[in-house]
Amino acid sequence: MRRVAAVAAVAALAAGCAIGPAANRAEREAGSPAEEPPGDPGGPDDDPELPPLPEDPSDEPRPGPTPAPATGTATEAETVIDQLSAVCCVARVPDSEDLLLASGDTVLLYDADGGGPPQELGQVPGEILGLAVPRSSVSNFVPVFAYYTEDDGGQVSSFRYYPDRSWEPWGATPTRLLNDPIPVPADGTRAGGALAFGPDGDLYLGTGDAGDPELARSEESSLGKILRLEPGRRSDPVVHSLGGYTDVRGIAWDEDRMWAVDAGADGTARVFSVTPGGEPVAVWEAEGETPAGLAAAGGPLWMPGAGSGQLWRVPLHGTELVPDPGPDTVLDLAEPGAVIGDASGTGLLALADGGLVRLEVE
């Protein structure tokens, strides 16, 4: 696999809304400041290295995939958060029921024990397109990774959330991960933004082609790819999947197998099986649909459709459909957005109906 640096910007850059894991972006309480304890060195131009992230807790061999039932259902179990405004992304805090959400340039914290609306946790230097948190926390802080737009393009940085530091829980100094920014077009279309940690502990970013399919096919470009990033330091990303993708809207894993959903230039949502360095294999598609994310739970893959307002179920066995069901929608969702697996691994948390809902699936 080869490392790539971003090509020259393809258009005027702006912090415009783009669809990564979700369809909507836009609109924006912090405690009183105090002296920063050691562990969060200062200076906005510094890029401190993070301590190593923890290994995946399970080193034992994992069983192979079992086939998902050909048909199934999804039901809305509860509304976790209501009256959310323009939230694009959601991530779970490790070893906790708390959640992080992103809206515009702001990261919000939902306190599961305290309830109530999410509170502002901190800000990043641009419009957030993707949000990810490792599966386990380290030291006395939780690393929070965001993909966001700056004046010169898209950047991925790590921020520190200190759960036990109530006076100032958001660290002042981010760690940038990309040597060169990802070109993002001024109108924010086909900018990708899917950001997720894999079971191997690495961080993966799905990019769009910025309206230029030739760049997506070029091995020298970071556009239209799935990139693997080193979460602890700045570097050039490794191309995990050349793909030639149009606009990667979601990345998920079923056991150790990676899946991605792409919003095709022809208006078709396509789900791919992804192997490192290999050609992605298209396993399912829905014409006229706009994917808002992708998650694995209970055996199948689940894709919210921003175009249709429905939740799609994609049953799989390995890289094959079980059997090929054709388009299969199981639940109507108003204004669907990002979707992730819940803490149990058997249900979903989805942005929909102007809030965040918990879904029971089978």
Side-chain angles (χ1 to χ4, degrees), residues 46-50 145 156-160 173-177 231-234:
D46 295 339
D47 279 332
E49 290 194 10
L50 291 174
F145 293 80
V156 179
S157 294
S158 172
F159 302 81
R160 296 183 178 188
T173 308
T175 300
R176 294 169 180 260
L177 301 189
R233 67 184 185 90
R234 178 183 285 197

Side-chain angles (χ1 to χ4, degrees), residues 159-185:
F159 302 81
R160 296 183 178 188
Y161 162 45
Y162 295 86
D164 298 326
R165 204 172 75 180
S166 59
W167 63 92
E168 194 173 8
W170 190 249
T173 308
T175 300
R176 294 169 180 260
L177 301 189
L178 299 176
N179 281 330
D180 299 296
I182 306 292
V184 175

Side-chain angles (χ1 to χ4, degrees), residues 10 22 28 56 61 84 89 105 107 129 156 183 236 261 307 340 360:
V10 297
R28 325 285 185 244
D56 192 293
L84 290 175
C89 321
D105 64 354
V107 177
L129 307 183
V156 179
D236 290 330
V261 64
I340 61 172
E360 293 180 351

Side-chain angles (χ1 to χ4, degrees), residues 272-286:
F272 291 89
S273 172
V274 180
T275 56
E279 288 291 326
V281 178
V283 298
W284 180 87
E285 64 180 38

Side-chain angles (χ1 to χ4, degrees), residues 73-76 309-312 328-333 357 359:
T73 62
T75 57
E76 187 172 327
Q310 294 179 313
L311 181 68
W312 299 76
D328 183 19
T329 58
V330 295
L331 185 67
D332 290 336
L333 294 174
V357 297
L359 305 176

Side-chain angles (χ1 to χ4, degrees), residues 26-356:
E27 302 171 356
R28 325 285 185 244
E29 201 166 74
S32 56
E35 182 179 351
E36 188 95 351
D40 187 23
D45 297 327
D46 295 339
D47 279 332
E49 290 194 10
L50 291 174
L53 296 179
E55 298 292 334
D56 192 293
S58 175
D59 292 327
E60 298 297 321
R62 302 185 183 188
T66 56
T71 60
T73 62
T75 57
E76 187 172 327
E78 64 173 326
T79 298
V80 180
I81 311 171
D82 58 10
Q83 296 181 345
L84 290 175
S85 177
V87 170
C88 75
C89 321
V90 58
R92 298 197 315 269
V93 176
D95 307 315
S96 169
E97 295 292 326
D98 295 348
L99 300 169
L100 299 179
L101 305 102
S103 176
D105 64 354
T106 303
V107 177
L108 307 170
L109 172 66
Y110 171 71
D111 184 342
D113 292 331
Q119 300 297 311
E120 181 178 321
L121 179 62
Q123 292 186 316
V124 306
E127 190 86 5
I128 300 172
L129 307 183
L131 194 68
V133 176
R135 301 183 179 201
S136 300
S137 60
V138 301
S139 186
N140 63 333
F141 65 90
V142 176
V144 180
F145 293 80
Y147 176 50
Y148 56 93
T149 58
E150 294 185 303
D151 290 341
D152 57 352
Q155 179 60 252
V156 179
S157 294
S158 172
F159 302 81
R160 296 183 178 188
Y161 162 45
Y162 295 86
D164 298 326
R165 204 172 75 180
S166 59
W167 63 92
E168 194 173 8
W170 190 249
T173 308
T175 300
R176 294 169 180 260
L177 301 189
L178 299 176
N179 281 330
D180 299 296
I182 306 292
V184 175
D187 61 3
T189 58
R190 290 158 68 162
L195 190 68
F197 273 91
D200 56 3
D202 285 334
L203 182 63
Y204 293 85
L205 170 66
T207 66
D209 67 7
D212 191 337
E214 290 299 319
L215 289 176
R217 290 188 285 268
S218 169
E219 296 185 9
E220 304 304 319
S221 169
S222 60
L223 295 175
K225 312 287 191 301
I226 295 177
L227 307 174
R228 178 167 58 84
L229 286 68
E230 297 186 43
R233 67 184 185 90
R234 178 183 285 197
S235 63
D236 290 330
V238 172
V239 175
H240 184 79
S241 175
L242 278 170
Y245 301 101
T246 299
D247 195 359
V248 182
R249 303 282 182 99
I251 301 172
W253 283 264
D254 171 23
E255 299 295 341
D256 291 329
R257 182 177 291 103
M258 176 187 281
W259 305 93
V261 64
D262 187 42
D266 59 355
T268 298
R270 292 182 177 86
V271 173
F272 291 89
S273 172
V274 180
T275 56
E279 288 291 326
V281 178
V283 298
W284 180 87
E285 64 180 38
E287 294 183 3
E289 185 57 285
T290 303
L294 190 68
L301 296 174
W302 304 87
M303 188 196 80
S308 65
Q310 294 179 313
L311 181 68
W312 299 76
R313 182 182 185 273
V314 187
L316 299 167
H317 184 201
T319 58
E320 303 296 329
L321 292 171
V322 188
D324 184 351
D328 183 19
T329 58
V330 295
L331 185 67
D332 290 336
L333 294 174
E335 302 176 2
V339 60
I340 61 172
D342 66 9
S344 71
T346 60
L348 298 171
L349 295 170
L351 292 171
D353 302 322
L356 183 77

